[in-house]
Amino acid sequence: EVQLQASGGGLVQAGGSLRLSCAASGLTYDAYTIGWFRQAPGKEREEVSFISSFGNTYYADSVKGRFTISSDNAKNTVYLQMNSVEVEDTAVYYCAAHVGRSLLWPPTGFGSWGQGTLVTVSS
């Protein structure tokens, strides 16, 4: 069973930086993707960034050039470095896992989810 734990959220001023972490366990697969999603108050959940076990990455247009996703396989942790944050980045951020190979990139159908971590960006 894949278990994920997101952390690192908090209050940050617009223009500042924050790093989120997603600690994973149970990823006994040769192929998987860890994704970051977010849900702002009153809005639907949206994709933010993904990284595959092969190193492929994906960024939503809204965060491209500002956010960087990376992984530390030794620590089974995926990071989301958030730079130049904007008020619009305020949301609960979730990490999720898609296991197995996918014909699509980014994949769909993330079956394991961690609890969210709140990011609040002040103006």
Side-chain angles (χ1 to χ4, degrees):
E1 179 187 6
V2 177
Q3 293 186 325
L4 305 165
Q5 184 166 356
S7 62
L11 176 63
V12 60
Q13 281 193 324
S17 298
L18 204 62
R19 189 178 78 160
L20 306 183
S21 300
C22 176
S25 62
L27 275 175
T28 57
Y29 307 90
D30 64 343
Y32 58 85
T33 296
I34 301 295
W36 284 99
F37 298 78
R38 67 187 182 186
Q39 187 166 20
K43 295 187 177 181
E44 293 188 354
R45 187 175 65 200
E46 62 178 0
E47 303 171 339
V48 176
S49 183
F50 304 143
I51 187 166
S52 77
S53 54
F54 304 106
N56 300 312
T57 59
Y58 163 85
Y59 297 95
D61 288 343
S62 59
V63 307
K64 205 171 291 184
R66 301 188 297 119
F67 292 7
T68 302
I69 193 168
S70 62
S71 63
D72 184 335
N73 293 334
K75 296 182 178 180
N76 291 323
T77 300
V78 170
Y79 302 100
L80 184 69
Q81 179 67 43
M82 305 168 60
N83 296 331
S84 301
V85 295
E86 302 170 352
V87 172
E88 293 74 22
D89 295 321
T90 295
V92 177
Y93 284 71
Y94 300 90
C95 59
H98 173 279
V99 298
R101 296 176 184 269
S102 173
L103 296 178
L104 300 174
W105 182 256
T108 58
F110 285 74
S112 300
W113 291 79
Q115 90 293 354
T117 186
L118 176 63
V119 173
T120 303
V121 182
S122 63
S123 58

